[in-house]
């Protein structure tokens, strides 16, 4: 077996990496690693240092980054001694693609002239935070458990009945035919729909409810329909004509062109030239009175199947949204203001689920099993919320935006609250590892690829899962989307990358394989997942916090994360998780000095990593060993690797 050590290239004029154990081609023959085991804990002094000559010495220039992925290098490496102060960000990673796989281990750092009796250091627990954000914010952030359950049950039902996607040539679906104006709904028309979801979130293709609604907005791309049930309510409890117009115009002018540019055209399977946003009491009924975790809205894949195989199908592009219900006539109390705010962001998000599904199943002639996996599908949908927010505020990508830049006016503040705030709550929860008390393992504790079945883990864990996915999509667009002007948003032409991800290509690639394929097609990059992951993870700690010489891919280009979270910490949300600290990522800390002797226990899930900051003054060489806690190597199933960035 050949040792493989990746050394990221630096700009011209920057000193290169010194590898004491590497030949000219960066390879050597390591001793065979011990058998892989995975056990919990960190046993003091368990790790025996390998023979000195077999250990790779890492001597990085300021700003230089390296990833060690050979088993022997992960097991033990040496940080070169220094006569001046140095600082490093170190990330122990599992590059595994096995959802739900958890790996436990121990990092031990010891100055080579220090005692070998290392006592594990456990991070001090932080005091729980008391208090909550405003109620509507909590409800918006927490409804994904019910969305996950609904999607899971829908796919089970479609499989049970053998539902078949609508194909070209069936019914009115003929992409080459001119639009039939007679099929386009007009203002004031009454339309009928069926829905096969009951108040217990049970999906049934054959047990349907009929909804009748009036067209309240008929635009170029979107038609907004109000359930006639709402028209029995007092006028003060309903959207006004002006509010329907405002909602419809924002969907038409902001959400539609942005989502379509990034994720592809809708198929228009019903031939009516429009997408319908149905505001219906049937969605309100899915959240019982008094319930805090609401269902804001959804798209149903059953509407893309033939009604002959699933009678509940409307055979068209439809979103179902909850409406205002302040008196709890249909379910939980929903104020006019809350319903109004939800309508825009929910459609921006759910429209992407529809477009991603249609690109693969309808336009790509795939099957229901070709739908994108949960983490990547949700990542694109949450990115769409950001994109609509940027467009609505007149901003673009790659502007290194902070809170001041995106809330300069009252209108922009409203846009930030409606489109951006929840994404940064979710990302912050990922960085923190939990709320209100952070997990000592931080991001490593998150099920980034989903549960053991690769599905959304649901509950509060879903928020961090989605934060990882949204952050990865934004970082990917920043570095692998096309540059230049003339894009859907100012700042780049990154939308081509996301159209590739949406379709999955002719073979409908999914998950990590889809990511690798898309960046190869758009950016000509052959980076694999175990090369992308460390760059993304390092960007979370290094963004606007690394030397100018650092690899630019360790930075975000659209957001200034340090400034943004610092400003949110100083805002009225500063007492709330994840904004209760200047930055929500808390690495474990190891001090470098003449007697360094530290140990850190860790647990990490697939495709994430444990962050450790190492810093100090002059110090001798420091031996770093990463073991399973009993002195053995980490399990090969976890595909362990270590990334190191010198920041000082």
């Amino acid at each position: 077996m050949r040792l493989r050590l990746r050394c990221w290239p630096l700009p011209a004029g920057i000193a290169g990496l010194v590898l004491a154990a590497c030949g000219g081609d960066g390879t050597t023959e390591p001793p065979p690693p011990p058998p892989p085991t995975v056990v919990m804990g960190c046993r003091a002094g368990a790790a025996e240092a390998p023979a000195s000559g077999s250990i790779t010495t890492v001597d990085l220039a300021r700003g230089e980054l390296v990833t060690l992925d050979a088993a022997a290098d992960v097991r033990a490496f040496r940080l070169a001694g220094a006569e001046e102060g140095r600082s490093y960000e170190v990330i122990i990673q599992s590059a595994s693609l096995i959802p739900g796989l958890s790996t436990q281990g121990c990092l031990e750092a010891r100055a080579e002239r220090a005692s070998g009796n290392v006592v594990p250091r456990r991070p001090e627990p932080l005091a729980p935070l008391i208090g909550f954000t405003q109620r509507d914010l909590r409800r918006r952030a927490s409804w994904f458990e019910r969305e996950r359950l609904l999607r899971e049950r829908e796919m089970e039902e479609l499989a049970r009945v053998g539902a078949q996607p609508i194909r070209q040539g069936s019914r009115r679906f003929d992409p080459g035919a001119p639009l039939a104006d007679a099929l386009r709904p007009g203002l004031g028309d009454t339309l009928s729909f069926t829905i096969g979801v009951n108040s217990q979130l049970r999906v049934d293709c054959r047990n349907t409810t009929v909804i009748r609604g009036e067209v309240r907005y008929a635009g170029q791309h979107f038609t907004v329909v109000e359930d006639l049930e709402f028209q029995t309510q007092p006028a003060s409890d309903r959207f006004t004509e002006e509010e329907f117009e405002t909602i419809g115009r924002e969907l038409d002018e902001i959400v539609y062109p942005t989502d379509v540019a990034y994720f592809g055209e809708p198929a228009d399977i019903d031939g009516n030239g429009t997408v319908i946003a149905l505001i219906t009491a049937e969605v309100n009924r899915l959240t019982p009175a008094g319930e805090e975790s609401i269902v804001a809205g959804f798209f149903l894949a059953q509407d893309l199947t033939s009604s002959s195989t699933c009678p509940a199908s409307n055979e068209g592009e439809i979103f179902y949204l909850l409406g205002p219900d302040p008196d709890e006539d249909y379910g939980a109390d929903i104020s006019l203001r809350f319903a109004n705010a939800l309508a825009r962001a929910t459609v921006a998000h759910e429209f992407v689920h529809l477009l991603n599904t249609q690109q693969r199943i309808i336009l790509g002639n795939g099957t229901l099993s070709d739908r994108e996996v949960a983490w990547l599908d949700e990542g694109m949908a949450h990115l769409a919320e950001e994109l609509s927010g940027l467009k609505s505020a007149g901003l673009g990508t790659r502007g290194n935006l902070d809170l001041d830049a995106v809330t300069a006016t009252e209108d922009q503040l409203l846009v930030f609250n409606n489109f951006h705030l929840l994404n940064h709550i979710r990302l912050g929860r990922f960085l923190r590892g939990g709320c209100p008390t952070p997990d000592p393992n931080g991001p490593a504790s998150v099920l980034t690829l989903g549960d053991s079945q690769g599905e959304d883990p649901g509950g509060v864990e879903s928020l961090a899962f989605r934060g990882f996915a949204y952050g990865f999509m934004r970082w990917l667009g920043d570095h692998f989307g096309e540059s230049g002007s003339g894009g859907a948003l100012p700042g780049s032409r990154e939308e081509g990358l996301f159209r590739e991800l949406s379709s999955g290509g002719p073979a409908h690639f999914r998950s990590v394989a889809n990511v690798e394929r898309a960046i190869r097609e758009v950016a000509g990059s052959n980076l694999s997942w175990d090369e992308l992951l460390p760059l993304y993870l390092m960007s979370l700690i290094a963004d606007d916090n690394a030397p100018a010489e650092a690899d630019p891919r360790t930075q975000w280009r659209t957001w200034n994360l340090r400034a943004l979270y610092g400003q949110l910490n100083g805002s009225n949300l500063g007492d709330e998780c994840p904004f209760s600290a200047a930055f929500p990522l808390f690495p474990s800390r190891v001090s470098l000095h003449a007697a360094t002797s530290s140990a850190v226990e860790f647990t990490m899930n697939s495709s994430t990593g444990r962050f450790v900051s190492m810093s100090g003054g002059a110090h001798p060489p420091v031996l770093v060993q990463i073991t399973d806690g009993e002195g053995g190597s980490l399990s090969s199933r976890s595909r362990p690797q270590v990334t190191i960035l010198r920041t000082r």
Side-chain angles (χ1 to χ4, degrees), residues 480-492:
F480 297 93
E482 191 175 350
S483 300
S485 59
L489 293 176
S492 71

Side-chain angles (χ1 to χ4, degrees), residues 349-428:
H349 179 106
E350 295 297 327
F351 194 19
V352 173
H353 289 315
L354 183 151
L355 292 173
N356 286 351
T357 303
Q358 287 201 331
Q359 300 309 307
R360 292 164 174 269
I361 296 172
I362 306 299
L363 298 174
N365 286 317
T367 67
L368 291 171
S369 63
D370 289 322
R371 294 180 75 181
E372 185 54 271
V373 297
W375 77 268
L376 190 48
D377 198 32
E378 294 297 347
M380 287 187 274
H382 287 302
L383 180 71
E385 299 169 29
E386 176 209 272
L387 299 170
S388 288
L390 292 175
K391 185 174 180 66
S392 185
L395 300 169
T397 62
R398 305 187 184 180
N400 207 35
L401 301 168
D402 62 8
L403 188 62
D404 290 342
V406 295
T407 59
T409 68
E410 286 296 322
D411 286 344
Q412 287 184 334
L413 176 60
L414 181 62
V415 168
F416 181 82
N417 287 333
N418 286 343
F419 289 100
H420 298 300
L421 180 55
L422 285 181
N423 272 336
H424 293 295
I425 287 176
R426 290 182 282 256
L427 178 62

Side-chain angles (χ1 to χ4, degrees), residues 192-223:
S192 293
F193 307 90
T194 57
I195 186 170
V197 181
N198 67 18
S199 58
Q200 285 75 47
L201 291 177
R202 296 291 178 186
V203 180
D204 191 331
C205 274
R206 293 181 168 83
N207 186 12
T208 62
T209 299
V210 175
I211 303 168
R212 298 182 70 246
E214 179 185 350
V215 175
R216 302 302 305 275
Y217 172 85
Q220 181 180 0
H221 304 295
F222 268 99
T223 298

